[in-house]
């Protein structure tokens, strides 16, 4: 079992920045990748970013490319989502997710094994 603990959400003005953190605990030795998804009010949950555990190679949704950056701190066993140039349309509950085996369809949320509790990000105009 893997538990994911998220932190870092909050309220920020448009153009501002926030950094989300996600720390896995438990059975992490066979972690393959982690990802961030978000769900805005009245909308379906959508893919934001994905980062491979072994080499920190990251992939992004087009809507956040160039503004968001995923990273991993091996010493702290934590992944981050640095969000810059935030827009009101980035307002959502952000979830981190983890998968412990190889897969290629990293945007498919049903393929992730574990999920965090979610953290609210609100961007005011």
């Amino acid at each position: 079992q893997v538990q994911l603990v998220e932190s870092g959400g909050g309220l920020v003005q448009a153009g501002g920045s926030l950094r989300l953190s996600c720390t896995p605990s438990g059975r992490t030795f066979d972690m393959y990748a982690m990802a961030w998804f978000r769900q805005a009010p009245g909308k379906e949950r959508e893919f934001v970013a994905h980062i491979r555990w072994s080499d920190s190679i990251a992939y992004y949704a087009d809507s956040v490319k160039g503004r968001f950056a995923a990273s991993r701190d091996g010493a702290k066993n934590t992944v981050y989502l640095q969000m810059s140039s935030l827009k009101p349309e980035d307002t959502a509950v952000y979830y981190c997710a983890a998968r412990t085996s190889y897969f290629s369809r990293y945007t498919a949320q049903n393929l992730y094994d574990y999920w965090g509790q979610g953290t609210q990000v609100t961007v005011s105009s």
Side-chain angles (χ1 to χ4, degrees), residues 12-114:
V12 64
Q13 288 189 331
S17 300
L18 278 176
R19 188 178 75 164
L20 306 183
S21 302
C22 181
T23 302
S25 62
R27 181 180 171 173
T28 60
F29 60 89
D30 54 354
M31 186 73 69
Y32 177 75
M34 294 183 69
W36 295 92
F37 289 80
R38 66 185 181 186
Q39 187 167 20
K43 295 187 177 182
E44 294 186 353
R45 191 159 56 184
E46 63 176 5
F47 169 78
V48 175
H50 165 103
I51 183 166
R52 275 203 311 240
W53 195 254
S54 60
D55 56 13
S56 297
I57 297 295
Y59 304 92
Y60 302 94
D62 288 342
S63 59
V64 306
K65 205 171 291 184
R67 300 188 298 121
F68 289 13
S71 62
R72 174 177 171 256
D73 185 328
K76 295 182 178 181
N77 206 39
T78 296
V79 296
Y80 301 98
L81 185 67
Q82 178 67 48
M83 306 184 293
S84 303
S85 302
L86 283 162
K87 306 174 182 179
E89 50 264 43
D90 294 318
T91 295
V93 177
Y94 283 70
Y95 298 90
C96 70
R99 180 171 167 106
T100 55
S101 58
Y102 170 79
F103 73 136
S104 59
R105 292 177 56 211
Y106 52 84
T107 63
Q109 55 185 297
N110 62 303
L111 296 183
Y112 288 85
D113 303 308
Y114 304 100

